[in-house]
Amino acid sequence: MGYKVTHSEAEWRRILTPEQFAVMRGHGTERPGSCALLHEKRAGTFACAGCGTPLFRSDLKFESGTGWPSFNDPVAGSVETDTDTSHGMVRTEVHCATCGSHLGHVFPDGPPPSRLRYCINGVALDFQPAEAAAD
């Protein structure tokens, strides 16, 4: 699949931290509760740590109790999904539509209105506060 932003494996390793590379390019998962963005409550946007694409607005973030940042819905057109059959389960993987980086999974057990829970690895995200966007 072709993405707007592409890099060689060596370039991704230079751009991302080792943990980000393991999650975003290796389809890994960070330890639950390990990311500071889990507790981020300011207004702003959560963007892809690999390419900067805005992915989720802070007003759609909620506490799911899972240990990972959770959101109702992504920014329109920012993510794509695939079927993930790893670990003996069938889940819906979420990845960045711009660079293809693995972000997490989406589940149909979220709160209204969408009833979706985008369970996203915090290391795959960069937070951009609303105040910074206004500058």
Side-chain angles (χ1 to χ4, degrees), residues 3 40 44 77 105 110:
Y3 294 101
E40 181 59 65
H105 294 87

Side-chain angles (χ1 to χ4, degrees), residues 5-114:
V5 173
T6 60
H7 297 289
S8 68
E9 182 175 335
E11 290 169 328
W12 279 119
R13 287 186 184 279
R14 280 194 301 277
I15 293 167
L16 303 172
T17 68
E19 185 179 21
Q20 287 173 321
F21 185 85
V23 169
M24 298 174 74
R25 306 311 300 174
H27 297 261
T29 301
E30 69 189 359
R31 281 186 356 268
S34 65
C35 180
L37 290 182
L38 175 62
H39 306 291
E40 181 59 65
K41 301 204 183 303
R42 294 176 291 170
T45 303
F46 294 85
C48 176
C51 68
T53 296
L55 300 172
F56 299 96
R57 294 187 344 251
S58 62
D59 61 334
L60 294 178
K61 183 176 183 281
F62 64 93
E63 177 53 54
S64 65
T66 61
W68 292 280
S70 297
F71 305 87
N72 282 113
D73 289 303
V75 171
S78 66
V79 303
E80 295 175 340
T81 61
D82 286 313
T83 300
D84 175 2
T85 57
S86 65
H87 307 291
M89 299 177 269
V90 177
R91 301 176 290 174
T92 303
E93 178 204 0
V94 178
H95 60 269
C96 176
T98 303
C99 71
S101 290
H102 172 76
L103 302 171
H105 294 87
V106 61
F107 302 96
D109 61 2
S114 71

